[in-house]
Amino acid sequence: MQKRSMTFKKIAMVAMMVLLAAGAVFAGGQKEGRQVPSVLRIGWGSEGDSLSPFICYTQAGSEIIHLIYDSLLNFDENLQPVSNLAESWETSADNLTWTFHLKKGVKWHDGVDFTSADVKYTYERLLDTGLGLFADSLAGISTIECPDADTVVLHTEKPKANMLMVTTPILPEHIWTDVSDDDLEIWENESPVGTGPFKFVEWQQGEYLKLAANKDYFGKVPDIDELVFVLYANADTMGQAIKTGELGAAIYLNATQIKTLKEDKNVDVISGTMFGFTELSFNCTPYEESLGNPILMDKKVRQAIEYAMDKNNIIDVAYSGQGNPGTTIIVPDDFWHYEPTAAEIRNYNLAKAKAVLEEAGYTDKDGDGIRENAAGDKMSFTLTCRSDSTDEIKAGQMIAGNLKDAGIEITIETVDDGLLLDKIYSYDFDMFIWGWGTDVDPTIILRVMSTDQIGNNSDCNYSNPVYDQMLLDQATIIDKAERQKMVWEMQKIIYEDAPYIVLTYDISIQAVRTDMFTGWKQIPENGPYIYNLTWYNYLNVKPVR
């Protein structure tokens, strides 16, 4: 699940005044003899890109979609698959047929009955179009049957190892069937109708998004009445809103705010380990259309760059110590994570970086401090950073300093998210800093390094046919231990070829008001309250009356 974020926008002061007036600074309580609805306001620095599962590609957008729409299964607080729209399920002896028995009596938010036809429609349309974040997880499903309104039968040509990790949101056929294929990528789904625990109320883009608890929900009904995500232009303002009680929770705060927030006995602040990483990505495009510096196609150059980077210092300074040095593209403490051996690891070693470059034929022939290849082309690259990420810009500046010591010249370029995406899709970059959110199932993040033939999400255009085949193969291995071995081998390939340098495994600094809401839980044990692949806190936090 990607964390590619949209550009920050300023909150209008008038909108904030309206929000505060609606519920003052309290979670809920008595007002003139009647119960005031409990409202959980969460501050975030990046709103979703869309409420349509067909054109949503961001973490924030996915979070909202999953609160409005249900999937067949969800993850519990232990990140284990549990029933949601599906009451129970079984698979055939050859693991090629999966039968899901749906919960009865479920209704869409508009009162229409939910049936197996909605599941069939959703899966088939996503598989046909391949659009959005959720299509990839359905790969391998060949045909779908609905023997009755409460049963869905999924057939696969090969075993599908991640079938119980599919959390694709189910859509109402009676609404989406009217959206043509031509309109699917532009229809914004402005008033989404789901079966989920929250109903859509309104989205004032650039300001806030409001949901209301679905009091007729078939599952656990939320203990709060309303959920409002409020957009902040910067983390400092968001931190102040937590301290004054304007917010009940805030995510992605700055490390510099931790000390001050901890001084407030009513605020609980954590550094939650996220399912995601920040990477330095290289242009590995094997096409003539590439506008990147071809020197970066040499993996020895990319490896040398990693040796030359002091990740620990970058994290300490640029990220205020909030993060852990990265290696492979699946996060530590995950069953699927591969940790490079002592012989494989590329820790900071300037002498090693210089030696690798010398051996590969990159030397400073004219004595200007910048190495050249045999043809005399200088090792001079542009590093693109997102203009609204001060942490990433600082990290880029520090990387440039490190690489200068190795004889590599780096020019920093800052652009907004939209322009960076344009540069990526037109192969017009040398290297950039951005990040990915990952998932419980390894296939999603592994697919980032696949090539066009099997439906990639690649932003660096890395291509390796051996890796591509392993990606297809691992998805069919039901035995978890056997599958882990192949997933480890895939990570070793990527680490060796270095199309990415994983800078840091991400941490989200989050704060909650314990005097306003109780029942907060970090998921997993050292994880975040929000953006943890579950909806536990949204459903279980209770207002302090």
Side-chain angles (χ1 to χ4, degrees), residues 33-53:
R34 68 181 186 275
Q35 188 71 38
V36 176
S38 58
V39 183
L40 171 56
R41 295 182 181 83
I42 299 176
W44 58 1
S46 178
E47 64 185 348
D49 50 342
S50 176
L51 295 177
S52 166

Side-chain angles (χ1 to χ4, degrees), residues 401-446:
N402 285 164
L403 298 190
K404 182 179 180 181
D405 295 337
I408 300 173
E409 181 181 53
I410 296 294
T411 300
I412 301 294
E413 169 189 58
T414 60
V415 300
D416 63 32
D417 290 11
L419 181 54
L420 178 51
L421 284 172
D422 290 342
K423 293 174 75 67
I424 290 169
Y425 293 140
S426 59
Y427 319 129
D428 184 15
F429 67 94
D430 289 336
M431 58 181 81
F432 63 84
I433 298 176
W434 213 344
W436 287 103
T438 60
D439 210 338
V440 175
D441 175 54
T443 300
I444 303 303
I445 193 61
L446 293 173

Side-chain angles (χ1 to χ4, degrees), residues 120-165:
K120 177 179 171 67
Y121 170 81
T122 301
Y123 282 15
E124 289 182 343
R125 191 125 199 224
L126 282 167
L127 284 166
D128 288 344
T129 63
L131 295 174
L133 283 177
F134 308 104
D136 282 352
S137 63
L138 301 175
I141 297 174
S142 54
T143 59
I144 304 171
E145 296 179 280
C146 298
D148 57 55
D150 303 315
T151 308
V152 177
V153 181
L154 307 179
H155 299 281
T156 62
E157 294 180 358
K158 296 181 179 179
K160 182 171 171 60
N162 68 346
M163 186 69 86
L164 298 183
M165 292 180 265

Side-chain angles (χ1 to χ4, degrees), residues 161-208:
N162 68 346
M163 186 69 86
L164 298 183
M165 292 180 265
V166 172
T167 56
T168 296
I170 306 303
L171 307 176
E173 181 182 15
H174 66 280
I175 291 177
W176 286 87
T177 192
D178 293 331
V179 183
S180 69
D181 287 343
D182 290 339
D183 291 338
L184 205 55
E185 291 189 78
I186 59 174
W187 197 65
E188 289 289 347
N189 192 27
E190 293 178 348
S191 299
V193 173
T195 59
F198 288 90
K199 296 181 178 181
F200 176 79
V201 178
E202 63 176 324
W203 184 11
Q204 294 294 328
Q205 294 192 32
E207 299 175 13
Y208 65 89

Side-chain angles (χ1 to χ4, degrees), residues 37-290:
S38 58
V39 183
L40 171 56
R41 295 182 181 83
I42 299 176
W44 58 1
S46 178
E47 64 185 348
D49 50 342
S50 176
L51 295 177
S52 166
F54 291 95
I55 52 177
C56 170
Y57 290 94
T58 63
Q59 186 178 43
S62 174
E63 192 85 350
I64 300 302
I65 285 172
H66 273 114
L67 293 172
I68 297 171
Y69 296 97
D70 283 309
S71 48
L72 290 184
L73 292 88
N74 272 345
F75 297 117
D76 64 13
E77 56 267 40
N78 298 311
L79 298 179
Q80 295 300 309
V82 292
S83 67
N84 193 20
L85 286 172
E87 180 73 51
S88 61
W89 54 89
E90 64 262 2
T91 184
S92 59
D94 59 6
N95 292 303
L96 298 180
T97 301
W98 291 78
T99 302
F100 291 89
H101 305 283
L102 307 180
K103 291 181 178 176
K104 296 178 173 61
V106 176
K107 292 185 179 295
W108 295 101
H109 293 159
D110 59 6
V112 175
D113 290 337
F114 159 77
T115 72
S116 57
D118 296 306
V119 180
K120 177 179 171 67
Y121 170 81
T122 301
Y123 282 15
E124 289 182 343
R125 191 125 199 224
L126 282 167
L127 284 166
D128 288 344
T129 63
L131 295 174
L133 283 177
F134 308 104
D136 282 352
S137 63
L138 301 175
I141 297 174
S142 54
T143 59
I144 304 171
E145 296 179 280
C146 298
D148 57 55
D150 303 315
T151 308
V152 177
V153 181
L154 307 179
H155 299 281
T156 62
E157 294 180 358
K158 296 181 179 179
K160 182 171 171 60
N162 68 346
M163 186 69 86
L164 298 183
M165 292 180 265
V166 172
T167 56
T168 296
I170 306 303
L171 307 176
E173 181 182 15
H174 66 280
I175 291 177
W176 286 87
T177 192
D178 293 331
V179 183
S180 69
D181 287 343
D182 290 339
D183 291 338
L184 205 55
E185 291 189 78
I186 59 174
W187 197 65
E188 289 289 347
N189 192 27
E190 293 178 348
S191 299
V193 173
T195 59
F198 288 90
K199 296 181 178 181
F200 176 79
V201 178
E202 63 176 324
W203 184 11
Q204 294 294 328
Q205 294 192 32
E207 299 175 13
Y208 65 89
L209 185 148
K210 181 188 290 188
L211 305 176
N214 179 6
K215 298 301 183 181
D216 298 319
Y217 189 53
F218 63 86
K220 171 70 172 68
V221 175
D223 288 310
I224 55 174
D225 297 314
E226 293 181 359
L227 180 59
V228 182
F229 290 85
V230 186
L231 183 64
Y232 282 81
N234 62 75
D236 290 335
T237 307
M238 186 160 51
Q240 286 298 317
I242 270 284
K243 292 180 66 175
T244 61
E246 296 169 18
L247 295 173
I251 55 179
Y252 287 121
L253 294 164
N254 289 332
T256 55
Q257 299 170 283
I258 293 177
K259 181 179 178 182
T260 302
L261 289 172
K262 283 188 174 180
E263 292 172 353
D264 190 327
K265 64 181 178 61
N266 294 317
V267 175
D268 178 28
V269 59
I270 62 167
S271 296
T273 302
M274 298 290 288
F275 280 85
F277 58 82
T278 297
E279 91 278 353
L280 177 67
S281 179
F282 297 104
N283 190 339
C284 298
T285 308
Y287 320 128
E288 292 182 359
E289 296 92 332
S290 176

Side-chain angles (χ1 to χ4, degrees), residues 277-279 306 311 325-329 500-505:
F277 58 82
T278 297
E279 91 278 353
E306 184 158 23
K311 293 181 187 178
T327 52
T328 55
I329 61 174
Y500 277 1
I501 293 174
V502 179
L503 296 177
T504 173
Y505 295 120

Side-chain angles (χ1 to χ4, degrees), residues 446-447 450 454 467-475 490:
L446 293 173
R447 191 178 288 272
S450 64
I454 56 175
Y467 179 91
D468 288 349
Q469 187 59 51
M470 293 176 74
L471 176 65
L472 297 174
D473 292 343
Q474 64 82 30
M490 294 174 70

